[in-house]
Amino acid sequence: MEKIKWAIGDSRQLPQIEIRPGKSENAAILIPNPNPRLILDEKVYDLCRSFGSDSLNALASIIGHELAHFYRDHKAIIGLIGHSEAENLDNSNRSSQQNQRIYLEAEADYFGTFYAFQAGFNSFKTLPKILSLIYNEYQLPNKLSNYPSKQERINIAVARSREMEKFAPVFEVGRFLYTKKYYKEAEACFEYVTSHISSKEAFNNLGVAKLTRVSTLTSQDETHFAYPFEIDVANRLSSNTRGGSTLQEEALKKRLLQEAELNFEKAISFDRYYWRAYINLAITQIFLKNFNAAIGEIDKLRQRAASKGTPVHADAFLVRGIALVKAGRMDEARQDFLRAREGDAFRIDYNFSLFKKLNNSWLDDFGEWEVEWTKVERWIKSFFKKETQVQFKKENYFKENINSIKTIEDKDVDKLITINGTKAPVSIHFKFDLSINTYLIKFDYHSMRLLQTHTTEGNITTSKGLKVGDDQVAVRKKYGSPGKIIPIAKEGFMYVYEKQHIHFWIIKEKVAKWEVYEINRL
């Protein structure tokens, strides 16, 4: 459950899980209020175990389905196999009830398999099988009152799993390409996903890819602060200040920002409590110089969080503080920067130090301000040059051997996706098995091979003997300090080792996932 919640990226508390002895009329059910609970029959757990090497995938498909009900705010309390402990559906007629249930179950299947996949479980193939097994074990009739028939329910699961299997790999490749700073190519992947499915995560990532492209076109004097979406802030801020943008660049920046704004608003329309999208939308407004609008977006997020009784992420206070600085409201900004520091917001060591320097230099006389600003710019370069100079020296000098783990060639491919677009990958080949997901990403002139594992099954380890579940201390001991550390969740980071071509996801100080890759010229 922790892994799937991490993949969902929602700040709300996980529902408590209860294992009910034997079997009940629900098999599994999510009670959203007042104290969220996921109740799972012991019999369902035993049925998942009967899948052998696929037991965790089977269990994840059930857990993912129920958590999708919760995190997508489905108000109806519907058991996995149709019975309800409370009726919150339209009671005007049975046809309406059944249509609502079909919609809710289809959406939970759809996003449940997606969330489980993001957490490292191959739930595409197991959800229809475990549902069929539950129907047989519980000796359910083919037709339940106000609920899809058994065959309809299985068909929904099969259809939704097949659909998501087409798009989840593209989402994952887009995320990888973004990490490798292939921003246009990542954007094309997320465009492909959003053109087919209504996913808040995909729309948010699409907006972030566009926002990142803007940051590469923006002169340093416009973006002295470090923003939470950035993965290479040290190199950007330690480089020489760019001159003014061309008219063509300004037009491109404006278009990308307007598109990103729409992407983040779309993500929020799917989830009114999606804190990442609020923060990114506020950053977009800062880049558009709509500072009061940026402050307003964070205020909306705070109101939403208060209504749910959930904490506000420290990055929200950081971004609101930056907007207040830009608006010239330094006293208010100080309060937000202090809150951001308490919550260990993104690059708060740098951002808070910069705020203090700007606050001390905030003079009425324009000429004096210019003199002080020159000093600030020198300090910024000095701050990050120290970091970039030692960045790769921290890493041990060797390259992970991708062939020693497992590889993929055209003949091994299970699935093939072709994406049309100027900068898109020509094709994405992928293959999933129990222990590892394998991708072959082809462009016009080069290709990438990417291998990922999220599980301890199959005894898959790195060339240094590390595996999922190992402590982050072991990663640093074997690989050295990472060249980059990218925040990826409320309690997680990605350790990036550029020279070794390997990344580690660290969640709660443990390795939750790792991936290794290589780039080849065609």
Side-chain angles (χ1 to χ4, degrees):
M1 284 181 69
E2 286 281 357
K3 277 191 172 184
I4 295 175
K5 179 184 183 292
W6 161 67
I8 294 171
D10 197 295
S11 61
R12 282 174 285 176
Q13 197 71 23
L14 261 176
Q16 290 291 321
I17 187 165
E18 298 177 14
I19 303 297
R20 185 157 39 194
K23 60 184 181 180
S24 68
E25 63 180 3
N26 296 311
I29 191 167
L30 195 291
I31 311 294
N33 293 304
N35 300 310
R37 291 175 295 148
L38 195 168
I39 303 172
L40 184 71
D41 284 1
E42 184 180 16
K43 173 55 69 176
V44 173
Y45 179 80
D46 291 339
L47 291 175
C48 290
R49 290 189 64 186
S50 72
F51 278 67
S53 60
D54 263 335
S55 60
L56 289 179
N57 291 326
L59 183 60
S61 65
I62 301 297
I63 298 293
H65 174 95
E66 296 302 327
L67 289 182
H69 278 310
F70 178 68
Y71 286 111
R72 296 192 71 80
D73 289 314
H74 294 170
K75 303 304 181 185
I77 306 174
I78 306 172
L80 183 69
I81 50 179
H83 295 284
S84 301
E85 294 199 357
E87 293 292 341
N88 295 322
L89 295 169
D90 177 11
N91 293 310
S92 59
N93 60 71
R94 290 187 176 186
S95 176
S96 176
Q97 284 190 9
Q98 182 167 333
N99 288 338
Q100 287 180 74
R101 282 174 165 161
I102 288 174
Y103 171 79
L104 293 174
E105 294 292 23
E107 185 171 72
D109 286 348
Y110 203 52
F111 287 99
T113 55
F114 177 63
Y115 297 145
F117 172 77
Q118 289 297 108
F121 302 102
N122 188 0
S123 54
F124 303 118
K125 63 180 180 180
T126 55
L127 178 60
K129 292 178 182 178
I130 188 65
L131 281 177
S132 180
L133 198 59
I134 289 170
Y135 265 89
N136 293 334
E137 179 65 30
Y138 280 65
Q139 299 181 340
L140 295 170
N142 286 330
K143 183 68 178 173
L144 295 168
S145 176
N146 299 328
Y147 195 73
S149 68
K150 173 185 176 181
Q151 195 55 52
E152 287 174 332
R153 184 70 189 86
I154 299 298
N155 289 344
I156 289 170
V158 169
R160 292 297 178 262
S161 295
R162 285 177 178 173
E163 284 180 42
M164 190 54 75
E165 192 175 15
K166 296 177 184 177
F167 308 126
V170 182
F171 181 93
E172 191 65 13
V173 167
R175 179 216 51 79
F176 169 72
L177 292 175
Y178 179 81
T179 303
K180 303 318 300 170
K181 295 187 280 189
Y182 284 66
Y183 301 131
K184 291 182 181 179
E185 294 83 352
E187 184 182 334
C189 288
F190 296 131
E191 286 274 16
Y192 177 87
V193 175
T194 57
S195 67
H196 292 86
I197 63 173
S198 299
S199 162
K200 67 178 184 182
E201 296 84 4
F203 275 102
N204 180 69
N205 286 10
L206 176 58
V208 167
K210 292 173 179 176
L211 203 54
T212 304
R213 286 182 62 194
V214 170
S215 73
T216 65
L217 296 168
T218 302
S219 59
Q220 190 196 77
D221 61 332
E222 293 181 80
T223 53
H224 282 96
F225 285 100
Y227 292 91
F229 72 89
E230 296 188 88
I231 63 172
D232 201 18
V233 64
N235 283 326
R236 175 176 70 80
L237 288 172
S238 63
S239 63
N240 291 327
T241 304
R242 296 179 71 252
S245 302
T246 65
L247 290 176
Q248 187 176 12
E249 286 177 330
E250 286 298 323
L252 176 59
K253 283 161 53 178
K254 185 176 181 180
R255 177 179 66 80
L256 289 171
L257 287 170
Q258 289 173 339
E259 291 175 357
E261 182 180 18
L262 293 175
N263 295 148
F264 297 133
E265 288 174 346
K266 189 73 172 178
I268 291 169
S269 74
F270 295 127
D271 182 354
R272 295 169 63 244
Y273 305 95
Y274 191 26
W275 61 273
R276 291 183 190 276
Y278 278 105
I279 290 173
N280 290 328
L281 179 55
I283 295 171
T284 304
Q285 297 296 356
I286 291 173
F287 279 26
L288 286 166
K289 296 182 171 56
N290 298 329
F291 306 130
N292 288 333
I295 295 165
E297 294 301 336
I298 300 302
D299 289 343
K300 285 180 194 175
L301 171 59
R302 295 174 67 186
Q303 292 169 5
R304 297 277 190 267
S307 70
K308 282 285 186 178
T310 56
V312 177
H313 197 283
D315 286 347
F317 293 110
L318 169 65
V319 171
R320 188 175 184 272
I322 294 172
L324 287 165
V325 169
K326 299 281 188 179
R329 295 156 62 179
M330 301 299 280
D331 290 340
E332 295 173 77
R334 180 176 178 77
Q335 297 305 312
D336 277 347
F337 273 96
L338 288 172
R339 288 185 177 183
R341 186 174 64 170
E342 289 173 3
D344 195 25
F346 178 77
R347 300 308 300 252
I348 193 59
D349 55 339
Y350 164 75
N351 280 318
F352 190 67
S353 296
L354 175 59
F355 166 73
K356 288 192 294 185
K357 286 189 174 293
L358 294 180
N359 196 31
N360 293 336
S361 302
W362 196 258
L363 303 178
D364 292 331
D365 184 83
F366 188 76
E368 290 186 66
W369 168 255
E370 283 292 296
V371 173
E372 293 297 325
W373 188 249
T374 301
K375 293 178 182 178
V376 171
E377 287 191 328
R378 285 201 298 266
W379 172 81
I380 291 172
K381 289 185 174 65
S382 174
F383 186 101
F384 282 108
K385 276 187 176 176
K386 292 175 184 176
E387 180 174 319
T388 54
Q389 285 168 359
V390 301
Q391 193 175 69
F392 290 131
K393 291 181 182 179
K394 294 178 180 179
E395 300 182 10
N396 293 333
Y397 281 86
F398 73 93
K399 188 174 179 180
E400 191 75 26
N401 183 3
I402 193 170
N403 293 310
S404 69
I405 305 171
K406 199 169 186 178
T407 190
I408 182 171
E409 303 295 345
D410 288 350
K411 61 184 176 60
D412 298 319
V413 168
D414 280 353
K415 305 287 183 181
L416 168 64
I417 296 174
T418 301
I419 302 175
N420 297 318
T422 306
K423 290 293 183 179
V426 174
S427 61
I428 298 171
H429 306 250
F430 60 95
K431 183 175 184 177
F432 305 144
D433 63 23
L434 175 63
S435 57
I436 205 158
N437 295 341
T438 320
Y439 302 87
L440 179 63
I441 310 163
K442 288 189 173 183
F443 298 89
D444 287 328
Y445 303 107
H446 68 284
S447 66
M448 298 178 176
R449 287 193 294 164
L450 170 66
L451 286 72
Q452 298 176 333
T453 187
H454 312 64
T455 178
T456 56
E457 297 287 340
N459 197 31
I460 301 297
T461 68
T462 72
S463 62
K464 291 288 185 179
L466 288 175
K467 61 185 183 300
V468 170
D470 284 346
D471 194 273
Q472 65 175 346
V473 175
V475 177
R476 289 174 175 267
K477 185 176 180 180
K478 296 286 182 71
Y479 285 83
S481 296
K484 290 192 188 77
I485 300 178
I486 303 172
I488 54 172
K490 192 173 183 181
E491 299 180 71
F493 302 90
M494 181 193 293
Y495 284 2
V496 176
Y497 293 91
E498 295 279 5
K499 289 189 176 293
Q500 292 95 321
H501 286 195
I502 192 167
H503 305 153
F504 293 91
W505 277 251
I506 307 296
I507 306 295
K508 293 187 175 179
E509 301 182 349
K510 300 288 185 181
V511 176
K513 167 182 171 180
W514 57 269
E515 66 186 9
V516 60
Y517 64 94
E518 70 176 10
I519 301 173
N520 298 305
R521 293 288 171 185
L522 296 180

